[in-house]
Amino acid sequence: MILYLAVAVGTVLLAVMVENHPVPGPYGVTRQQMCNRVCLLSIFLILFALSACRQNVGNDYAKYVEFMHLVNSDAYVPTEPGFNLLVKIVYGLSGFENHLLVFAIYAFVTIFLFLLAIYEQSDDFPMTYFLFMTLGYYFQTFSTVRYYLALAIALYSMKFVLRRQWGRFILLAALGSFFHKSLLVILPLYFLASITWKKWQLALIGLFCTTFLFLQDFYLKVVVFLYPTYEDTEYLTGGTSYINILRCLGVLILSLFYYRKSIRGSRRLQFYFYLNLGALALYVFCSFLPIISRIGYYLTISHILFLPALLKETEKAGWKKLLRAGIITAAVLYFAVFMSRAYDDGLLILPYKSFFFHDMVNILSDMN
């Protein structure tokens, strides 16, 4: 716990010194640009080292090691071709089952894409990075590594949606789906969020959402068709997060104060607004779906960009300070709740273990 807090606080302090919209100097690299490079590199190295050096940290770490072993043995695994190919290449070049290197590669790419997306797309790098850490996104990359690589790709791809560069967006999502096929869901969802909807159209969408309450069996069959390995397993059990509902509801209420003045007419802010509205609808109406949390995260990841953007639109200094303090307080409380569950089976990011001092536990194949 102390290690995680030190990493979170230390990297946030480094992020405070980053200005992601520096004024270019007439004679090459400015002092601020050099500071940005040093701080960003330091943040990356700290986050990467913590992730790459872990051993059996994360609720599905051992399961991934088992999958890698099966891939290397040419046995069937439910993972995507990109993951399988990466394992084959790493294990082949290493000459042994080097699962640590596979996790390190995932950590490198995932953290790099998150930081790049934050630097390029945020109105306020320190605030966005603070939310990235306190909302638990970084620490959750220790689990479900394939999914969080896909989530990083989703965040990075938002800039292509806003620029209407649909070819690049589709290509990036398609490539990312070779590592986690759930990423394909952003193709329709992000496109729908980029449209300027009329009130009557939103009413029809709301009416359609009610079908999830009455046609649950049908939608579950669709999920089983897309994820055959879920059939007759505990993964087919749904469930929603009341914390995420409250979070989306809070962001919605806050954004409504800015809708007429700032959000309406702004392609970017309106995109974030509809992503949050869509996430709220999913959490409320689709709680029975087993993949609801994964779909929802593809939408709520926009909060780390949306909230700083709303702060920037706040003209009154007093109100801006109060709003900033409220967001920081809420994020710290969220982080406290998140860390209090760090030992739970669904997370298991504590206790932290490193391959320097701990051995890998036996996987299922070792016990047979």
Side-chain angles (χ1 to χ4, degrees):
M1 179 76 77
I2 295 176
L3 175 62
Y4 289 172
L5 290 176
V7 167
V9 173
T11 55
V12 166
L13 291 176
L14 286 170
V16 170
M17 295 185 283
V18 175
E19 169 54 61
N20 59 321
H21 301 288
V23 178
Y27 306 109
V29 179
T30 65
R31 181 178 298 178
Q32 182 59 59
Q33 289 174 321
M34 184 57 68
C35 178
N36 286 350
R37 294 176 184 179
V38 172
C39 290
L40 287 171
L41 180 60
S42 300
I43 292 171
F44 174 81
L45 290 177
I46 292 171
L47 298 185
F48 172 70
L50 186 68
S51 182
C53 293
R54 76 188 194 279
Q55 176 88 283
N56 199 30
V57 177
N59 69 303
D60 53 3
Y61 190 100
K63 182 184 292 186
Y64 269 111
V65 177
E66 170 74 11
F67 283 162
M68 294 178 203
H69 171 74
L70 294 175
V71 167
N72 193 50
S73 304
D74 295 320
Y76 169 78
V77 288
T79 48
E80 290 79 4
F83 174 84
N84 299 344
L85 179 60
L86 176 63
V87 171
K88 282 281 192 180
I89 292 173
V90 171
Y91 279 20
L93 293 177
S94 300
F96 64 99
E97 296 193 352
N98 191 352
H99 66 272
L100 292 171
L101 182 56
V102 177
F103 281 116
I105 292 172
Y106 263 92
F108 186 97
V109 178
T110 302
I111 296 167
F112 176 80
L113 286 176
F114 269 127
L115 290 180
L116 182 62
I118 292 171
Y119 186 82
E120 291 184 349
Q121 299 180 54
S122 176
D123 288 308
D124 183 348
F125 181 88
M127 176 57 77
T128 297
Y129 180 79
F130 170 78
L131 293 173
F132 170 68
M133 294 299 290
T134 54
L135 295 182
Y137 289 114
Y138 166 68
F139 293 106
Q140 290 191 86
T141 63
F142 293 179
S143 301
T144 56
V145 295
R146 290 161 37 247
Y147 172 75
Y148 276 89
L149 171 61
L151 187 64
I153 294 172
L155 181 65
Y156 183 74
S157 73
M158 288 182 184
K159 70 175 185 178
F160 298 124
V161 176
L162 296 172
R163 295 173 184 172
R164 297 292 196 265
Q165 295 176 330
W166 298 113
R168 295 184 180 184
F169 169 61
I170 293 171
L171 179 60
L172 187 59
L175 290 174
S177 69
F178 282 95
F179 294 89
H180 204 287
K181 60 185 175 183
S182 70
L183 184 62
L184 292 175
V185 78
I186 71 172
L187 293 176
L189 292 181
Y190 284 13
F191 173 74
L192 292 173
S194 69
I195 298 173
T196 301
W197 297 96
K198 297 184 183 338
K199 291 181 180 179
W200 65 270
Q201 292 172 323
L202 289 175
L204 287 178
I205 293 174
L207 186 62
F208 170 74
C209 287
T210 62
T211 65
F212 288 95
L213 300 176
F214 307 106
L215 301 174
Q216 294 185 6
D217 291 339
F218 168 76
Y219 289 116
L220 282 174
K221 289 180 180 178
V222 173
V223 171
V224 171
F225 175 77
L226 295 174
Y227 290 88
T229 55
Y230 280 5
E231 190 170 10
D232 298 326
T233 68
E234 71 275 8
Y235 295 112
L236 210 55
T237 304
T240 192
S241 168
Y242 293 108
I243 291 179
N244 283 329
I245 291 177
L246 289 175
R247 177 174 142 192
C248 291
L249 188 60
V251 172
L252 176 62
I253 293 172
L254 176 64
S255 62
L256 288 176
F257 287 103
Y258 294 86
Y259 191 82
R260 287 181 178 273
K261 180 176 178 292
S262 303
I263 296 177
R264 187 170 63 182
S266 169
R267 177 184 297 173
R268 184 168 65 100
L269 295 182
Q270 189 172 257
F271 175 65
Y272 298 151
F273 177 83
Y274 283 135
L275 287 179
N276 179 69
L277 188 62
L280 181 60
L282 285 174
Y283 284 128
V284 171
F285 293 103
C286 305
S287 61
F288 65 95
L289 293 177
I291 55 173
I292 187 61
S293 61
R294 292 180 177 181
I295 298 176
Y297 269 42
Y298 284 130
L299 305 180
T300 58
I301 187 64
S302 62
H303 288 173
I304 68 176
L305 301 174
F306 192 25
L307 291 175
L310 292 179
L311 279 174
K312 184 180 179 182
E313 295 296 321
T314 307
E315 296 177 352
K316 295 182 179 179
W319 174 242
K320 178 179 284 190
K321 289 181 180 179
L322 181 63
L323 184 58
R324 181 182 291 272
I327 292 173
I328 291 174
T329 301
V332 169
L333 290 175
Y334 190 99
F335 185 67
V337 173
F338 173 79
M339 293 306 297
S340 70
R341 300 175 177 176
Y343 287 96
D344 293 354
D345 289 339
L347 200 55
L348 277 181
I349 60 172
L350 281 177
Y352 182 80
K353 300 175 184 178
S354 169
F355 64 81
F356 291 114
F357 308 107
H358 301 87
D359 295 325
M360 182 61 197
V361 298
N362 289 332
I363 59 175
L364 185 61
S365 296
D366 295 331
M367 300 177 184
N368 293 333

